[in-house]
Amino acid sequence: MGTLTTAPKTHHEPANSAEWHIAQEVCASVLASLRRRDQRHKGRLYVHGLLTAQGRKTMRNLATSTQEPAAAQSLHHFISVSTWDWSQVRTSLARQMERVMTPHAWVVQPMVTPKTGVHSVGVQRRFIRHLGQAVTSQHSHGLWLAGQNSAAPVNWQLSVDEDRPSGMARGAVPEVSSGSRTYDDTAISVVLQAASWGLAPRPVVIDARDLPSAPLIEAFTAADLPFLLRVGSHTPLLAPELSGGQRRVLSASAEHLTMLARSQQRPVEWVDPAVPRVLRTGMVALLPVLWPGISVPRRPRPDRVSPVESMRSGGADLLLMGEWQPNRRRVAELWVTNMTRASRGTLLRLSKLTRRADTDFTRICLDVGAQDFEGRSYEGWQRHMTMVSLAHAVRVLRRESQDRGEAEQSG
């Protein structure tokens, strides 16, 4: 898990008839929100190119795969100059994928795209924790619908800080707050945008070790969304139940609190999303905690509540989940959640969906051009990533169709 960066691309043969049939269906349904016929046609060409072009998905490579004269110019115009609304296309895609995938969570994943120059939109030099060095790169977040078997991105937001590229209109970048859109803002906005699309609320799962967690907690609480945030070992928390009757609530790091609660460890089995059919075991402990400086409101417990609300409500403001690997003393992962009624198994399995998104990013999303956009406009990046999401959805649906066919044959 962790920040998504460049990885070796897997090789795919040109789309077979089954994949092309699925692509036609997905494009016909999702691109119906585009009012102009020529835009719908270019959208299908672009997705076809992402699925079939070999190597980097440059305009020239995409155009070559279409076998249409002047395709490079028309596709460039479709992505970088046209005025179609990517949010409508993403809304349609998200609703369709929600129906066919029945996701368990909204996983928010960072994407770091290394760049050799500084002229592309959103390029900055940032320190990347897991690489241990500063990298000149674009920084963005994607929202993925994630289940046990598949994950698909349906929304993207690019970090564009105060050093806005020349020629980019201020109105071109939707604002989250009074300031410019920063890397911290993108993780919040990518969720709140999707929440406005009429999707069924799902737990928001984020590895937040590189983000300030307090704004995430406040934003998702205000939006009435369940969340599960991975935090760092030194994250300060308050533990009322470990105060030993003292007036002052115990304040300590997340790692220290889980060590005090090790007696509550219980084994939980989970199927690794990254390695199909591999069953693993984690030792899990849960501890009620408070986040310093944030008051997370309690809600009355109605007699009848939805499955999501039943996970959110409870007597404690938040829960701290610690996971240990068997026979290891130091805690491996630390998560904070407002789903205070959820079981150890539910929370642990939700946390593992970041591995599902990581896996499908590497195996599918990179191959259909997630890090190949070379333009300089914010709008162009957003439209390219929208088409990448469509191509990724086609690959996911093809894989699920193939898995169903194999299951029927073996049955």
Side-chain angles (χ1 to χ4, degrees):
M1 291 180 285
T3 303
L4 302 178
T5 56
T6 302
K9 293 186 178 184
T10 55
H11 176 75
H12 287 278
E13 296 296 328
N16 58 25
S17 59
E19 182 172 284
W20 179 235
H21 179 70
I22 294 172
Q24 292 286 74
E25 290 185 340
V26 170
C27 288
S29 174
V30 174
L31 298 180
S33 61
L34 301 180
R35 287 182 284 183
R36 288 171 45 181
R37 181 179 179 181
D38 65 311
Q39 291 178 339
R40 296 193 294 271
H41 174 65
K42 292 174 184 176
R44 288 192 295 270
L45 290 181
Y46 204 92
V47 171
H48 178 264
L50 293 174
L51 291 168
T52 60
Q54 299 299 304
R56 291 184 61 83
K57 306 303 188 280
T58 63
M59 288 296 176
R60 179 177 297 179
N61 279 348
L62 296 180
T64 300
S65 71
T66 68
Q67 299 181 349
E68 287 196 7
Q73 183 177 353
S74 64
L75 292 180
H76 171 75
H77 185 280
F78 173 71
I79 292 297
S80 298
V81 183
S82 188
T83 59
W84 56 273
D85 185 354
W86 62 79
S87 66
Q88 292 183 359
V89 177
R90 292 180 186 178
T91 300
S92 178
L93 174 65
R95 290 174 178 173
Q96 178 165 329
M97 296 305 288
E98 182 182 52
R99 289 193 300 270
V100 299
M101 287 179 59
T102 58
H104 301 311
W106 296 349
V107 174
V108 178
Q109 292 284 66
M111 181 171 73
V112 177
T113 304
K115 294 287 184 177
T116 55
V118 296
H119 298 295
S120 297
V121 60
V123 172
Q124 292 186 350
R125 190 163 181 81
R126 288 181 181 268
F127 181 81
I128 308 301
R129 173 180 49 82
H130 77 284
L131 295 178
Q133 62 182 0
V135 177
T136 300
S137 52
Q138 287 175 328
H139 300 255
S140 59
H141 278 96
L143 183 137
W144 296 62
L145 303 185
Q148 181 63 38
N149 299 318
S150 296
V154 295
N155 197 23
W156 297 90
Q157 197 51 260
L158 178 68
S159 171
V160 181
D161 287 341
E162 294 179 358
D163 295 332
R164 196 180 299 263
S166 61
M168 184 187 299
R170 178 166 293 275
V173 184
E175 302 293 343
V176 175
S177 61
S178 58
S180 62
R181 183 176 298 280
T182 67
Y183 187 57
D184 301 340
D185 293 330
T186 62
I188 296 174
S189 65
V190 79
V191 173
L192 298 187
Q193 287 171 0
S196 71
W197 295 344
L199 306 177
R202 308 287 181 183
V204 180
V205 182
I206 308 179
D207 184 342
R209 288 176 294 170
D210 292 330
L211 297 169
S213 297
L216 299 176
I217 294 173
E218 291 174 331
F220 299 151
T221 298
D224 202 29
L225 290 171
F227 60 79
L228 181 63
L229 311 179
R230 187 175 181 182
V231 297
S233 58
H234 299 294
T235 301
L237 294 170
L238 305 175
E241 292 194 5
L242 296 179
S243 300
Q246 301 176 11
R247 286 189 176 183
R248 296 182 62 184
V249 176
L250 177 62
S251 175
S253 69
E255 183 175 20
H256 182 68
L257 292 178
T258 55
M259 294 301 293
L260 296 177
R262 286 193 63 177
S263 62
Q264 301 180 31
Q265 285 185 15
R266 301 291 185 274
V268 175
E269 290 186 337
W270 55 282
V271 177
D272 193 341
V275 188
R277 293 180 290 276
V278 172
L279 190 65
R280 303 190 187 279
T281 300
M283 302 298 295
V284 178
L286 302 179
L287 177 68
V289 295
L290 303 173
W291 195 279
I294 295 182
S295 176
V296 181
R298 294 185 177 90
R299 288 176 171 78
R301 299 183 184 180
D303 293 335
R304 297 179 125 187
V305 294
S306 68
V308 167
E309 181 62 26
S310 70
M311 289 192 290
R312 291 194 70 264
S313 304
D317 289 319
L318 299 169
L319 276 180
L320 172 64
M321 179 179 74
E323 181 202 356
W324 291 259
Q325 295 177 359
N327 303 317
R328 296 293 179 90
R329 178 172 178 79
R330 185 168 184 178
V331 65
E333 296 186 12
L334 295 160
W335 296 79
V336 169
T337 181
N338 62 345
M339 294 179 283
T340 55
R341 287 187 176 182
S343 67
R344 289 177 173 83
T346 295
L347 293 175
L348 182 65
R349 294 177 189 110
L350 283 174
S351 75
K352 300 307 178 183
L353 292 179
T354 58
R355 292 172 62 84
R356 176 75 268 167
D358 274 340
T359 300
D360 281 2
F361 173 83
T362 302
R363 296 179 180 176
I364 301 177
C365 209
L366 278 175
D367 191 63
V368 296
Q371 295 189 328
D372 291 349
F373 180 70
E374 297 179 345
R376 298 186 181 186
S377 76
Y378 174 86
E379 297 93 336
W381 184 89
Q382 291 282 16
R383 294 193 181 101
H384 171 79
M385 295 307 297
T386 302
M387 294 297 105
V388 166
S389 297
L390 263 69
H392 183 107
V394 171
R395 284 269 162 86
V396 165
L397 295 176
R398 174 195 170 192
R399 184 177 64 190
E400 292 196 347
S401 175
Q402 185 176 2
D403 290 345
R404 285 195 299 269
E406 291 176 355
E408 291 173 359
Q409 289 181 358
S410 63

